[in-house]
Amino acid sequence: MTAPAAITRYRSVFISDTHLGTRGSRADFLADFLRRNAAEHIFLVGDIIDGWRLRRGWYWDRHHDEVLALILRHARNGAAITYVPGNHDEIVRRYLPLGLEMAGIRFAAEAEHVTAAGKRLLVIHGDQFDSVVRYAKILALLGDWAYTAALVLNRYFNIARARFGYPYWSLSAYLKRRVKEAVKAIDRFETALAADAAQRGFDGVVCGHIHHAEMRMVGEVLYVNDGDWVESCTALVEHWDGRLELIDWAARNRLSFLAPRKAGAERDALDAAPA
């Protein structure tokens, strides 16, 4: 059980691409993060629930329930939660003109956040700057299928590696780094987002979408991608002095991607924790 004193409190937390509803989602790791961290502002930066998978099948376990319960608990405890939908949960976008708000969670196409250091950040999922998603959705769907297949292949490959004493290794992350066109696409994505933020007068942009955690200056604009909770399991946090930090939760806590997912301990801790 996580004691209340063990909770780390930040000014802001940014999370994206959890893809709840899929087997690839590390909802168990995310639940652990949400139990042990809190913030005044929590931004859910798109692809939180994977609506695309509704067409082909749905996966939901206790860890997925726990993630939703913890998000709602943060809202009840006073956190200002903003949900910026992405392309996988794009069905929510049709209701945004209605000023949608549910259980203390505000929904918006994009958001603005001003850090404690006075920096204006544009918060946006980022699929609007992905030409494949915008103009060739069938290719995006095929790419999603290929990514899912790579995750399955990656799991069996890492089971074999573990038997020989080798650490976890991500096939899809390796391909993104090594395939020339993928590297070019990531660079175009980052440049386009930074340029848009600069044109609109922002000091920085926080996004998700491409499952590639990154924080760097692109020209005069700070570009931050908070990663995902499928493979990298990363989040962006803002400290009380306005300093931004990318946290690799799996690496920091030495969480194993190959270990069996626990079923009951986390739920017991959630039920026992004070509201």
Side-chain angles (χ1 to χ4, degrees), residues 74-87:
H74 283 295
R76 290 198 304 271
N77 288 345
I81 300 181
T82 303
Y83 189 148
V84 177
N87 52 304

Side-chain angles (χ1 to χ4, degrees), residues 216-253:
R216 67 184 182 95
M217 295 299 297
V218 179
E220 299 298 318
V221 173
L222 177 65
Y223 167 88
V224 188
N225 191 303
D226 57 24
D228 67 278
W229 288 83
V230 177
E231 289 188 283
S232 64
C233 296
T234 54
L236 174 68
V237 300
E238 178 196 358
H239 295 273
W240 294 99
D241 60 359
R243 179 171 55 92
L244 298 173
E245 179 187 6
L246 276 173
I247 293 178
D248 186 331
W249 191 248
R252 173 176 290 192
N253 295 279

Side-chain angles (χ1 to χ4, degrees), residues 46-150:
D47 287 1
I48 303 302
I49 296 179
D50 198 321
W52 286 13
R53 294 299 167 83
L54 282 171
R55 304 163 187 168
R56 304 194 301 272
W58 188 255
Y59 176 80
W60 200 270
D61 65 11
R62 181 172 293 186
H63 301 297
H64 291 67
D65 283 336
E66 188 177 3
V67 167
L68 295 186
L70 285 163
I71 290 173
L72 293 174
R73 173 163 290 181
H74 283 295
R76 290 198 304 271
N77 288 345
I81 300 181
T82 303
Y83 189 148
V84 177
N87 52 304
H88 281 257
D89 43 18
E90 62 188 350
I91 190 172
V92 179
R93 287 174 171 166
R94 69 181 65 175
Y95 302 105
L96 295 180
L98 302 177
L100 184 62
E101 184 170 335
M102 296 175 59
I105 301 174
R106 183 176 70 92
F107 293 77
E110 60 183 45
E112 176 182 336
H113 176 67
V114 180
T115 70
K119 300 296 184 181
R120 292 179 63 231
L121 302 178
L122 171 64
V123 183
I124 188 169
H125 181 64
D127 61 291
Q128 303 91 330
F129 297 85
D130 185 337
S131 58
V132 173
V133 171
R134 290 186 64 187
Y135 303 116
K137 190 165 184 178
I138 185 63
L139 293 179
L141 292 170
L142 287 172
D144 179 61
W145 175 87
Y147 180 66
T148 302

Side-chain angles (χ1 to χ4, degrees), residues 11-27:
R11 187 170 185 265
S12 306
V13 168
F14 303 78
I15 296 168
S16 75
D17 296 273
T18 62
H19 290 275
L20 298 176
T22 70
R23 291 186 180 274
S25 174
R26 293 311 310 224

